[in-house]
Amino acid sequence: MEFNWTVEKEGPQQLKYFLKDQGISKGLLAKIKFQGGKIEVNQSVENVLFKVSVGDQIRVTIPDEKEHETLLVDNVPIEIVFEDEHYLVVNKPAGVASIPAQYHPNGTMANRVKAYYKAQQYKNQVIHVVTRLDRDTTGLMLFAKHGFAHAMLDQELRKKEVVKMYQALVGGNVSALESHGTIDLPIGRDLSSILKRTIIESGQFAETEYWLLKRKGDQALVNIQLHTGRTHQIRVHFEAVGCPLLGDDMYGGQMDTGIVRQALHCCQLSFIHPFTKQRLELTSPLAEDMKKIVDQL
C-alpha cells in the first residue's frame, strides 16, 4: 500500500522526522525496511537520514500483511455499515464475541471479518480490531484494514477523539433519572466473581454521561457516552443508581421483558478519518429485541 505526501515545512529536515509527523512509528519504519517496503523522495529511494526540503514528493510503500494462520475463518456474512481501503465498520449482532478466546477460537466478529477479507482477496489479511463490544452488546464495531490505519486511530483513541454513543434500556428506579446526568463512581473487581465488576472505593475512576430519551413506568431508554473505558462500565454504573439494564442477569436487570441479554447497543460512532481528514458520523438502528420494547414506551 502506498502513501504520498508533499513537504510543506520550510527548511531542511531529516526524512525520519517528517515521517514521524505523518504518524509513521519506529516500528512501522522497521517493517518498511526489513519486510519489503520502500521510501522514495522525488521517485528516488532514500533512507530515513536523507534531508528533505519544501516541495519534495514523498512516497512510502508499506508491505502487505499476511494472515495470522492461527485465526480461524467463520463464513457467516457480516453487515457492513462503512468501508474504504483503510477502515471497516460492521454492525455486530448479539451473542457474538468481538475476538476469539482460548476456549472459543471461532464464531467471533474477528473470525467473520477474516472470512470476508479472504473472500475479497484483500492484500492485507491481518485483522485489526479498533473498538470492541461485549458478546451480548449490539451495534457498531470498528476494524482497521492495515497496521498504519490502526496506529493512526489509536492516536485518536488516546486523545478521546473517537466518540462512541450507546443506547440502553434500563429498569427499576427510573423516576430518579435526570434528563441529563453523569455517573462518576469508581469501578473495580468484584472479589466474589472472575467476571463481575462493582463500585468500590479503591477502584478506577469511571465516568458515564447519559441523556434520558423515553420513560414509562419502571423502564426507560437512555443515550450514553463513556468518558472512560472500564470493563462493564455502563452496566455497573446503572446498577449502582438503581436502574440496571433490562435482560442483564449479572447486574440485577429485569428478566421478564422479552429481552434475554443486556439491552445495550452502540448506536453511533464518530471520528476524524486520519487519511481523508473528514469526520465520519456512522449510525446503527436498534436491534429488533430492543426496538420492540422501545416502541411500547
Side-chain angles (χ1 to χ4, degrees):
M1 181 169 285
E2 291 184 355
F3 295 89
N4 296 275
W5 298 279
T6 300
V7 178
E8 298 179 351
K9 183 179 178 180
E10 295 287 349
Q13 61 177 316
Q14 284 189 340
L15 182 53
K16 65 179 180 180
Y17 296 119
F18 174 82
L19 295 176
K20 180 181 179 182
D21 289 342
Q22 312 315 312
I24 293 184
S25 65
K26 290 181 180 179
L28 184 51
L29 282 177
K31 181 178 179 181
I32 293 167
K33 181 177 180 179
F34 297 112
Q35 297 183 27
K38 62 181 176 179
I39 302 171
E40 298 170 271
V41 180
N42 301 325
Q43 300 183 341
S44 296
V45 175
E46 302 290 353
N47 66 39
V48 295
L49 299 180
F50 181 85
K51 288 189 176 181
V52 297
S53 301
V54 64
D56 283 346
Q57 303 295 310
I58 313 299
R59 178 163 59 203
V60 174
T61 303
I62 298 176
D64 298 334
E65 299 174 340
K66 296 181 180 179
E67 66 175 294
H68 291 151
E69 294 183 358
T70 54
L71 181 65
L72 303 176
V73 168
D74 184 4
N75 287 297
V76 175
I78 57 176
E79 181 183 344
I80 297 173
V81 178
F82 170 85
E83 183 178 16
D84 66 5
E85 61 182 326
H86 306 292
Y87 299 103
L88 172 72
V89 179
V90 302
N91 206 20
K92 189 184 87 63
V96 181
S98 292
I99 60 174
Q102 181 178 358
Y103 299 109
H104 302 282
N106 207 346
T108 73
M109 292 307 299
N111 302 113
R112 296 180 182 184
V113 169
K114 179 174 181 177
Y116 172 71
Y117 283 7
K118 290 182 79 67
Q120 300 300 311
Q121 298 183 342
Y122 290 153
K123 292 182 179 179
N124 290 303
Q125 291 284 322
V126 173
I127 308 303
H128 295 275
V129 179
V130 180
T131 62
R132 303 182 189 182
L133 296 175
D134 287 347
R135 176 184 294 273
D136 287 327
T137 300
T138 56
L140 299 172
M141 188 174 167
L142 172 60
F143 294 82
K145 295 173 71 176
H146 54 87
F148 186 28
H150 194 174
M152 294 293 281
L153 263 192
D154 274 347
Q155 294 181 26
E156 290 193 35
L157 284 166
R158 286 194 291 271
K159 297 175 184 176
K160 298 185 178 180
E161 294 172 348
V162 178
V163 178
K164 287 198 298 181
M165 298 294 294
Y166 294 84
Q167 289 189 336
L169 282 163
V170 300
N173 188 28
V174 297
S175 61
L177 293 175
E178 302 173 4
S179 59
H180 173 225
T182 299
I183 307 169
D184 56 357
L185 300 170
I187 294 176
R189 288 187 176 275
D190 186 326
L191 299 180
S192 68
S193 169
I194 296 176
L195 300 176
K196 195 175 180 183
R197 300 299 192 269
T198 190
I199 302 300
I200 184 170
E201 188 175 345
S202 61
Q204 293 179 298
F205 173 75
E207 183 179 10
T208 303
E209 187 175 9
Y210 72 87
W211 294 260
L212 180 64
L213 299 180
K214 285 186 175 185
R215 177 168 52 196
K216 182 179 180 182
D218 62 351
Q219 296 177 356
L221 175 68
V222 290
N223 251 11
I224 298 166
Q225 182 178 356
L226 295 178
H227 296 290
T228 52
R230 312 305 177 204
T231 300
H232 296 178
Q233 180 172 322
I234 292 172
R235 301 162 67 188
V236 174
H237 269 174
F238 278 92
E239 179 201 32
V241 297
C243 302
L245 273 60
L246 303 188
D248 191 355
D249 58 347
M250 179 177 288
Y251 292 101
Q254 296 178 27
M255 300 302 295
D256 58 355
T257 63
I259 188 166
V260 293
R261 50 101 180 179
Q262 70 258 14
L264 184 61
H265 178 76
C266 182
C267 61
Q268 184 176 338
L269 179 66
S270 173
F271 62 94
I272 300 293
H273 194 299
F275 302 105
T276 68
K277 306 305 179 184
Q278 300 296 311
R279 175 165 287 279
L280 285 177
E281 298 274 0
L282 304 172
T283 60
S284 168
L286 283 174
E288 192 60 33
D289 55 355
M290 289 182 65
K291 186 178 182 299
K292 286 180 180 179
I293 297 175
V294 170
D295 289 344
Q296 299 171 8
L297 293 181

